[in-house]
Amino acid sequence: MNQSPSTATTPEASSKAPGMVIIGGGLSAATAAETLRKEGYEGAVTIVADEPEIPYQRPPLSKGFLAGKEGEDALLPLPASWYTENNVTVLTGTAAKALDPAAHTVTLSDGTTLPYAKALIATGAAPRRIPFPGVDLEGVYTFRTKADSVGLHALLEGGGKNVVMIGSGWIGMEIAATATELGNTVALMGLEEVPLSVAIGAELGTVFANRHKEAGVRFELPASAAEIQGTDGHVTSVLTTTGATLPADIVIVAVGVVPNIGLAQDAGLAINNGIEVDASLRTSAEDVFAAGDVANAMHPVTGAYARSEHWANAIASGKVAAKSMLGQDAVLDDIPYFYTDQFDLGMEYSGFGALTKDAQVVVRGDTATGEFIAFWVLDGRVVAGMNVNIWDVQDAIKSLISSRRQVDTAKLADPKTPLEEI
Ligand SMILES: Cc1cc2nc3c(=O)[nH]c(=O)nc-3n(C[C@H](O)[C@H](O)[C@H](O)COP(=O)(O)OP(=O)(O)OC[C@H]3O[C@@H](n4cnc5c(N)ncnc54)[C@H](O)[C@@H]3O)c2cc1C
């Protein structure tokens, strides 16, 4: 019988033979475990998760879950029963402290050593911490985990608080929207002239900024925090680098994330803005793979490394990593995708962000109505597309991107021409 990893072990043998060890308990880890089982792997699968939770997904944390509109179920990619039914061990509240690629072992925070046949590092990312003066005052938070969301919800739910957001990216804008909807007063600062412009440019960032302004969000842009000020150890205001004093009961620092590379670095793996992996998500160490926010993967379409910090990549890369661990021929060649919800603006984006910098923006519809599709066109080809409050067009957008066909920008801009006919 072929003893490939996918067929090698009986359940009895699997309890003894080193199996698959997944380090990190996020969406990428859950997807990898699910894929291992779907692909028929019967050996031991262990997820080492330092948070006290079984794997959960983060997008609702800044949106519906923070607003109190969605419950725990919205967070779980797989119910708790799935892990028992599929004989997948989740070691919650347990950190992987060391990885030894030569010995094929992972040392855990409880002092035990776990042997592995193949290991996946899916340790995600952590909020970037900037040592602003006053950052240690009570009332100053970063935001990444379910516990962060539960804690912030408790502070925001009654409304009436002054919230200062440091950071004008996706997370900052989403929390600003949710906090406003809960009846709080929000001031937001960031290094961009227009929020989100690093990701989608000033013209389209303005659409989101305008919606926030309509709802009462105050923007201080571009500005950073010169000092977070407080009384009796609790924050009271933020002095901006532009000289404004913003009253604050709560300050949230949302200035991006840094990949959790410590374990990989200590193990001697190649690091390059995250853990460097090839298109099959193999690290520089044999039998060690990386996926999700922590992995900087060679993308076969662009020929460049890209580290994506988005939900869809956590899923796609979790699947590819699992298949690679099983010795299958899998590559991560998806068109990157992400989404956001802010007030009544729902948006989906597909494309190669790195190619949009010199691209022409073509808008189909009217941005002022809040219902439109924007395309980024480079050398006559669509390299990215973003639909705002228009749905069921992602397949057509992805097909325009993947076909690499030359497009007529007048037709692209005309809502009467079906996307399939461009
Ligand atoms: C508030 C918020 C909202 C978001 N909204 C969106 C959105 O709307 N759309 C979108 O596309 N993306 C969104 N994202 C991004 C998306 O959630 C991430 O891309 C995704 O969580 C990455 O999954 P991951 O499994 O790679 O890492 P993570 O979700 O970060 O999970 C990694 C886990 O590993 C654990 N870990 C780290 N080191 C160790 C160790 N040594 N041992 C054991 N465990 C370890 C971490 O504590 C963490 O629990 C959002 C992110 C946040 C924080």
Side-chain angles (χ1 to χ4, degrees):
M1 189 176 161
N2 177 352
Q3 294 288 293
S4 72
S6 60
T7 56
T9 48
T10 63
E12 196 193 336
S14 73
S15 60
K16 294 174 189 125
M20 304 297 195
V21 173
I22 301 173
I23 304 168
L27 181 57
S28 212
T31 310
E34 185 184 28
T35 307
L36 287 170
R37 289 299 185 232
K38 274 191 179 156
E39 294 296 313
Y41 179 69
E42 293 179 350
V45 177
T46 306
I47 297 176
V48 182
D50 67 359
E51 288 188 62
E53 324 278 345
I54 59 168
Y56 63 90
Q57 55 184 351
R58 300 182 195 274
L61 298 180
S62 49
K63 311 178 187 70
F65 188 74
L66 179 62
K69 291 182 196 158
E70 288 179 314
E72 307 246 337
D73 284 359
L75 301 182
L76 296 181
L78 298 166
S81 56
W82 183 89
Y83 299 93
T84 21
E85 281 160 15
N86 288 277
N87 198 19
V88 170
T89 305
V90 187
L91 302 174
T92 53
T94 307
K97 288 293 186 192
L99 172 81
D100 184 337
H104 278 54
T105 56
V106 179
T107 305
L108 306 182
S109 51
D110 63 8
T112 55
T113 299
L114 206 54
Y116 65 80
K118 306 277 166 79
L120 172 63
I121 306 179
T123 46
R128 176 173 290 122
R129 289 171 197 275
I130 297 182
F132 298 115
V135 79
D136 293 327
L137 286 167
E138 252 178 66
V140 182
Y141 306 97
T142 55
F143 193 91
R144 178 80 186 174
T145 64
K146 180 180 163 193
D148 294 338
S149 186
V150 168
L152 190 59
H153 173 78
L155 296 173
L156 295 177
E157 67 174 330
K161 299 276 189 345
N162 286 313
V163 180
V164 173
M165 175 64 65
I166 304 175
S168 55
W170 298 112
I171 305 291
M173 290 288 278
E174 288 178 0
I175 298 173
T178 305
T180 306
E181 284 179 326
L182 288 170
N184 301 284
T185 303
V186 180
L188 185 149
M189 71 185 81
L191 297 179
E192 307 162 295
E193 298 263 349
V194 175
L196 306 174
S197 53
V198 168
I200 55 173
E203 180 187 356
L204 299 165
T206 300
V207 175
F208 290 89
N210 285 346
R211 183 65 192 87
H212 279 65
K213 283 180 192 163
E214 266 172 43
V217 176
R218 168 178 173 184
F219 287 101
E220 290 291 331
L221 296 165
S224 184
E227 186 185 0
I228 303 174
Q229 300 166 324
T231 308
D232 298 333
H234 198 285
V235 66
T236 52
S237 58
V238 179
L239 176 66
T240 71
T241 48
T242 45
T245 299
L246 307 173
D249 304 304
I250 298 163
V251 174
I252 299 156
V253 183
V255 290
V257 295
V258 287
N260 290 324
I261 54 166
L263 189 79
Q265 199 160 31
D266 293 349
L269 272 54
I271 302 293
N272 158 23
N273 176 32
I275 303 173
E276 188 176 296
V277 287
D278 66 11
S280 299
L281 307 187
R282 290 179 286 235
T283 70
S284 59
E286 207 175 334
D287 297 330
V288 182
F289 300 76
D293 279 14
V294 78
N296 190 16
M298 171 54 68
H299 199 289
V301 174
T302 58
Y305 285 100
R307 192 174 63 74
S308 171
E309 295 167 357
H310 293 298
W311 171 88
N313 175 65
I315 296 173
S317 63
K319 286 182 186 166
V320 169
K323 289 179 182 178
S324 289
M325 291 164 87
L326 296 173
Q328 297 177 13
D329 206 3
V331 291
L332 183 64
D333 57 4
D334 294 41
I335 298 172
Y337 165 93
F338 66 93
Y339 66 94
T340 186
D341 294 307
Q342 299 170 31
F343 298 108
D344 51 3
L345 294 177
M347 174 279 246
E348 297 177 287
Y349 176 108
S350 282
F352 298 102
L355 302 181
T356 61
K357 286 187 183 60
D358 300 318
Q360 177 193 357
V361 176
V362 176
V363 175
R364 183 183 180 88
D366 180 359
T367 56
T369 64
E371 286 182 20
F372 63 92
I373 308 176
F375 296 95
W376 284 261
V377 180
L378 184 68
D379 300 332
R381 299 187 173 101
V382 175
V383 293
M386 167 177 111
N387 46 299
V388 176
N389 284 358
I390 291 180
W391 305 109
D392 301 325
V393 290
Q394 271 294 311
D395 286 350
I397 291 173
K398 283 185 177 156
S399 152
L400 274 169
I401 297 168
S402 60
S403 73
R404 296 177 52 77
R405 61 183 182 265
Q406 290 285 325
V407 293
D408 177 337
T409 52
K411 284 187 180 166
L412 199 58
D414 176 11
K416 289 195 278 310
T417 307
L419 289 176
E420 293 72 15
E421 289 173 20
I422 290 164

